Amino acid sequence: MDIGIVVFPGSNCDADTLHAVRDVMGMRAQFVWHEERELTGLDAVILPGGFAYGDYLRAGAIAATSPVVRALGGYVDGGGLVLGICNGFQVLLEAGLLPGAMRRNASGQFRCEFVSVRAERVDTPFTCALAAGQVLRLPIAHAEGNYYADAAMRAALAADRQIAFRYCDPSGGVVPGANPNGSTDAIAGLANPSGSVVGLMPHPERASEGLVGGEDGRLVFESVARWIGARHHAGRAPTATGVEVR
Amino acid sequence: METETAQSTQVRSVRIIVMLKPGVLDAPGQAIQQGLDALGHRGVRGVRAGKYFEVELTDDARLDERVRRMCEGFLANTLIEEYRFDVL
Amino acid sequence: MVVERAAPVTDVLAGTGLSVEEYTEIQRRLGRAPHRAELAMFGVMWSEHCAYKHSKAVLRRLPVSGPRVLQGPGENAGAVLVADGWAAVFKMESHNHPSAIAPFHGAATGVGGIIRDILAMGARPIALLDSLRFGPPEDAQVIPLEHGVVAGIAAYGNSIGVPTVGGEIMYAPCYRANPLVNVACLGIVRADRLATARAAGPGNAIIYLGARTGRDGIHGASFASTELVGDPEDRSAVQMGDPFTGKLLIEASLEALASGAIVAIQDMGAAGLTCGLCEMSARGGVGMDVDLAQVPRREAGMSAEEVLLSESQERMLLVVREGREDEVLRIGRRWGLQAVVIGRVTAAPLLVVREGEGAVVSLDPRALVEAPIYTPPAREPEYLAAVRRVDPLTFPIAPPQPALLALLAAPNIADKRWVYRQYDHMVQTNTVVPPGSDATVLRLKEAVPCGLALTVDGNGRHCYLDPLIGGALAVLEAGQNIACAGATPVAVTDCLNFASPERPEVFWTFRETVEGIAQACGALGVPVVGGNVSFYNESNDAVFPTPVIAMLGVLNDVRCHATAGWRSSGDVVVLLGGGGPQLDGSEYLIALHGVAAGRLRMPDLASTAALIRCVAEAVAQQLVSSVHDCAAGGIAVALAECCIIGARGASVALSPAQGQRSDVLLFGEGVGRILASLPALNLSALLQLARRFAVPVQVLGSVGGDRLVIGADGAGVHGPWIDAAVHDLARVWRREAAA
């Protein structure tokens, strides 16, 4: 099993994500430089959090033009799995791999704090270890997490079960007071229709050890470990070829 | 890539303004209005915050179309933003 | 009375900030008149901000050595051994004057600058702390300053990926036009890979790495050395930072350092390229030959002086082993930075800077770096006798419960979550105890299970009343905060913020403050491994003398740490330490009577040091559930905070000393008192531990219920002084509207 963690100029959660995936979860993982076009051999690709290209123009906008992101479409078509965390989610939106756009938080400010999110869809590679409706306590750290979709998109998201996580209160109630940034429909995370691409604003890599932030985030990585394990077992692993690392 | 004709040695300045679409929450604009209010500026009825770009590019007959492509594909996120431009 | 600096008699000196005497000394050292570019370099290198002319002699009083110290003052930052083979690099810097003019950019570039100082030691920056001072928060002049500074720190720190894990903000009228912005940074590096700024190896390449050079901040260093009376529209002095480039610079520098090709490294901060070239060569006892034409520029038509003096941000200077230049250039360019060889190290101690054919600079770099040291006159300020004659006991006792609520709502005490929720305090996933507690605790992934604790503390009002005692109190307060987290203090870095040292009263105050810091650091056995002096913090008003102490502590096992809030109903509440509270200089006196006055008492340094060691040990042994020291607002506020943070109540009885007033007991301040809660089962072990350190312990009561009740021990005559719902206390402290 091989997990690739993309590094853009300005990414700053790449090392944290590697630590969670490799050192805490024990999975094989490596960095993937933003200029890399060849992703075969990687079971999953993670776009980490941070400020790729300083968030200049719009968060994720410039990173979406990089070779590695342009290669993601083909990678996903070939069976690849993609997880976008925070800035990574913003990149997926700008690249059109997930629908919608991010606006500035309704509060107008950067917010670093713990929130609760409810798992809405649990048959994706990144949520299969969760139970439907399970509440996770995860940290957010963003200024542009106010998700927007127009009416047509919202209908499509609902029809295709694309909402992966919603902000909620600790007991799972999706109420306005639990929405930290004003996101449409309290959306904290999305999936593509097949579930192979998931993006979420909270940081699971910051909640993978009890000492720092709790352990609810581990479940996202456990999910993908389980999914990939099952796929290998069934003999459907992508062929491994060399992948350039940083 | 476009071929440059003899005419295109001239460089034009284009001013582009990108604004949030009406109806999309403008948190920065609201915060700025609060700030003006706190500083004692009277009679401010509304503030919208946007982005302004100055782009220098070689001129040709399809300048407008090229600018539109830049805006729609990159400078503006057309789901939530609209744009307008002037060629000087 | 302001002592006029000797007016420059020639146009040549205008704008350099140099005095006629200094110019004469320059001529003596060079054996000739300086060339234009050389004079400009002297102007910035001999500015107070760079040269510490008025402070160096006094700073020699500070203790700088210790068994853990790997690097004391003299490099870009100090370094101490914290775990097997690992060093912590630590420094604090001020960016006061730029923040007064352009709060967002001034604060942002302050963050960027201190990060690069840590990077210049070869360390990865892992945490930031900020200490801020503003005028009254509702003041129209203050609001944009405060919000701009907080936003600037957030914007830069968040984007560059270094967590801002702690800090403090205090408000007083003297800071209205003179905000203070002090930022501390911590980095981690293998002890045997600490970098240096000492250039070496004739023939080695001098490589410029980072952003292009523009006209930012020309004469910024001399700008910081004058009072703010000029045109506030003078924008040429303000630098603009780019945290994105800052992040690229961190990664490229660390990668280049890991290659082993780097001999020396320095950031281009105050005085820009000038400082980099002359400090690196002077420290190494070598020379340099540099071609300014190679320096990447952002603007056309820049003069040699502009290139030399520019304070464009996000630039580093490297000395690279001859033959390995391409390796380093490749690393820089891969990260999208400018990377260029601009010169070579030479054997003879001569700094030669060329522009095109001619040399515009040719001198011994030590002439620039070894600036004159002054010992200005000192005189005790006249106001001191007057403020010390004020006896707080002549004021009436305020009803305790309304007084407590007033203090909880006071800007200096109220919840600061509105600030730190704007800072990413979790990036790098090392934050074990986030902002909001007495000290932050970080884990060290490199040296499990060790941890580090950090705090930043200072009280200008105390120093205003007694600079010696105030200086000592700042250090002791920091030590207590470190101990509350369960750590042993190991190093201090400081920012000393004062008005003009050319005024005898200010210089006297500076000298006394440093003496107080020295005594307290000596008592705690903690060296000062580096720091910063910021003078000329005055415009029409002068600031309180404001020493800010950032302290680093070590936890042998980071899992054994403590925080302030109660944890378990039924836990016993105890008070450790025999410190005596006093209302002199207290928050209570300001909040209730509008007075900053009184006579401070010097605390017993030895017993406070013992208390600190005792508390750190108690936490390390996991005897206690929570720990919190009594600081601003006294024991009543501390108890209230324990209840609010722990979301549960407590019932305690305090024993007034003979004749002690209730307000002194409840709201009096001073070091030497730390609250703890613990399971009753652990009480005898704690008492035994405390006896070993000769620390007095009083059992006050217990945790439970949802109210804070503070009564008088033994007396049943009056009702309790405080009987309030924790929910109501929290509402006031958090400045929330009534439900």
Side-chain angles (χ1 to χ4, degrees), chain A residues 11-12 16 56 112 206 209, chain C residues 242 247 421 424 428 443:
Chain A
S11 291
N12 59 39
D16 297 346
Y56 292 137
C112 175
R206 293 184 181 190
E209 296 168 272
Chain C
D242 173 14
K247 169 64 171 168
R421 77 200 296 212
D424 187 344
Q428 300 198 31
R443 65 142 166 206

Side-chain angles (χ1 to χ4, degrees), chain B residues 31-64:
Chain B
I32 292 165
Q33 186 168 0
Q34 279 165 20
L36 289 172
D37 190 55
L39 287 170
H41 295 278
R42 300 276 146 258
V44 176
R45 296 280 185 248
V47 175
R48 293 179 65 220
K51 293 177 202 164
Y52 168 77
F53 305 95
E54 289 177 351
V55 179
E56 317 266 303
L57 66 169
T58 55
D59 192 10
D60 70 10
R62 295 161 60 214
L63 186 95
D64 278 26

Side-chain angles (χ1 to χ4, degrees), chain C residues 543-675:
Chain C
V543 297
F544 282 155
T546 312
V548 174
I549 303 294
M551 190 176 285
L552 173 70
V554 172
L555 296 91
N556 292 328
D557 188 337
V558 74
R559 292 165 299 186
C560 305
H561 63 267
T563 54
W566 312 132
R567 304 270 291 283
S568 261
S569 292
D571 274 355
V572 178
V573 175
V574 302
L575 178 66
L576 294 148
Q582 54 173 156
L583 290 181
D584 306 71
S586 67
E587 201 62 46
Y588 168 87
L589 212 55
I590 286 276
L592 278 295
H593 300 295
V595 168
R599 180 183 291 273
L600 295 179
R601 275 196 310 268
M602 185 64 165
D604 182 332
L605 295 178
S607 64
T608 312
L611 171 65
I612 286 170
R613 286 195 300 273
C614 174
V615 169
E617 185 61 30
V619 175
Q621 288 184 22
Q622 299 188 289
L623 293 177
V624 294
S625 304
S626 75
V627 192
H628 188 35
D629 77 320
C630 299
I635 196 170
V637 165
L639 286 164
E641 288 169 341
C642 294
C643 290
I644 294 168
I645 297 169
R648 59 189 83 227
S651 185
V652 301
L654 303 178
S655 315
Q658 177 77 298
Q660 187 180 43
R661 277 169 39 156
S662 61
D663 57 353
V664 175
L665 178 60
L666 288 168
F667 307 114
E669 296 175 8
V671 291
R673 290 177 309 155
I674 295 182
L675 290 167

Side-chain angles (χ1 to χ4, degrees), chain B residues 73-85:
Chain B
F74 190 52
L75 294 178
N77 181 321
T78 51
L79 179 63
I80 50 173
E81 293 173 324
E82 57 189 19
Y83 65 91
R84 60 181 187 274
F85 62 89

